[in-house]
Amino acid sequence: MHISRRKTRQISVGQVKIGGDAPVSVQSMCSTDTRDVTATVAQIHQLEAAGCEIIRVAVPDDEAAQALPQIKAAMTVPLIADIHFDHRLALKAAQIVDCVRINPGNIGAWWKVEEVIKAVNERGIPLRVGVNGGSLERPLLEKYGWPSPEALAESALNAVRALEDVGFTNMKVSLKASDVHHAIDAYWLFSHQSDYPLHIGITEAGTAMTGAVKSSIGLGYLLSQGIGDTLRVSLAADPVDEVKVGFEILKSLELRHRGINVIACPTCGRVEIDVVRMANELEKKLGHIKTPLNVSVLGCVVNGIGEGKEADIGIAGGEGKGILFKKGKLVRKVPIEELMDTLIEEVELLAKEKEAEGNASEPIGSSTEAGWEPLIPQSDHLSTLGKEIPVLPRR
Ligand code: SF4
């Protein structure tokens, strides 16, 4: 499947480019108390090790804002401060972080938003404009009767135009709803009226499993339509899982090629090895590898090698022995008890070989050149309000 990504403007959050032809980046948010620097930095290091590319922390009060310099100094990926209500916290955070997330609708008087714009402009950092179904402006709620996708899209477009009116364009936008259909529709509406890069996500998606399913459906649909420049999978779970699920979604759509892709058979009555344990163990033990590699674990040789042709390397159960294969060709037979260690060693070797050959870097993703015709003529000063909102397609 070839996905034509919608063409968006490009911004930079620290060293990470978002929008344009940049790969879709994976973010997460710390679940620790930001005031607890030790715990927050420890979690940031876990997220960085999992490949998280941008990390956000909540800044609910002054003490949290004061912790930001220490946190920022201990990390390598860009840091985003998440601010609600109190613009003074945004002013403090803007001195330290790489991006500030605000919802202009809950910051209060417009002069406060302008002060935040001045502060981020002084450091040349972007804003994330985040609108949320739970905090929509009253006039929009009265107009639409509920926080509908149209209301969310209009709220975001209002914010974008108001910021553009004071000359500010260094922003990305998110429109979060916890209902998958509503989130998809809101992002669809916005993306057909604006070319600002989009941070996509299904908010409050749920626990590790239900949240992963909802996010995969919602984000998978949007990404397959070319919508989305950076993402966060929101889970009521360890944030490291958010990063893993985020990359799995992108890998499934072939938008990113990163690390080990474990292909495991579902097993059946012919199974000769403990596929489930081995596949899980592989994901854990090889999580540090960034080189894209397909690694196969198959229960038997009946279809084993044939089914594993697409894999760079793999194992299959045999009669009392296992086999190791590469690109569908038998390499050697290995005693079952040595199978896992052998595979791990071979994968590490293969990853190093690929790195040495210069094949470790992932492709940028699908072209943004084709398939994007803005519904509304775009200009440097994108003004969207007052235009008719396109009608949502029937799905
Ligand atoms: Fe069954 Fe073998 Fe296919 Fe696994 S590879 S599903 S064990 S036939």
Side-chain angles (χ1 to χ4, degrees), residues 265-268 270-271 298-300 302-304 307:
C265 82
T267 78
C268 69
R270 295 190 188 91
V271 70
L298 302 166
C300 75
V302 171
N303 299 311
E307 283 180 5

Side-chain angles (χ1 to χ4, degrees), residues 261-319:
N261 177 32
V262 176
I263 302 161
C265 82
T267 78
C268 69
R270 295 190 188 91
V271 70
E272 309 246 16
I273 54 174
D274 190 347
V275 171
V276 177
R277 181 186 59 78
M278 287 177 163
N280 280 308
E281 216 174 303
L282 268 183
E283 280 192 343
K284 271 197 198 120
K285 292 193 170 161
L286 298 174
H288 60 282
I289 292 180
K290 292 192 174 69
T291 307
L293 279 176
N294 289 326
V295 181
S296 195
V297 183
L298 302 166
C300 75
V301 285
V302 171
N303 299 311
I305 295 189
E307 283 180 5
K309 252 188 198 147
E310 301 304 320
D312 295 291
I313 186 165
I315 50 171
E319 285 170 6

Side-chain angles (χ1 to χ4, degrees), residues 110-132:
W110 182 250
W111 65 266
K112 294 178 181 175
V113 177
E114 286 198 10
E115 282 201 357
V116 177
I117 295 167
K118 193 163 164 262
V120 293
N121 266 339
E122 273 166 12
R123 283 202 56 237
I125 60 170
L127 271 186
R128 173 180 145 200
V129 175
V131 302
N132 201 300

Side-chain angles (χ1 to χ4, degrees), residues 92-153:
K92 283 182 186 153
Q95 305 309 312
I96 310 297
V97 299
D98 301 289
C99 174
V100 177
R101 187 258 170 167
I102 60 164
N103 177 351
N106 75 19
I107 284 290
W110 182 250
W111 65 266
K112 294 178 181 175
V113 177
E114 286 198 10
E115 282 201 357
V116 177
I117 295 167
K118 193 163 164 262
V120 293
N121 266 339
E122 273 166 12
R123 283 202 56 237
I125 60 170
L127 271 186
R128 173 180 145 200
V129 175
V131 302
N132 201 300
S135 54
L136 268 188
E137 303 93 306
R138 187 179 291 275
L140 285 174
L141 282 175
E142 281 165 7
K143 179 176 172 184
Y144 291 99
W146 64 289
S148 65
E150 289 85 353
L152 274 170

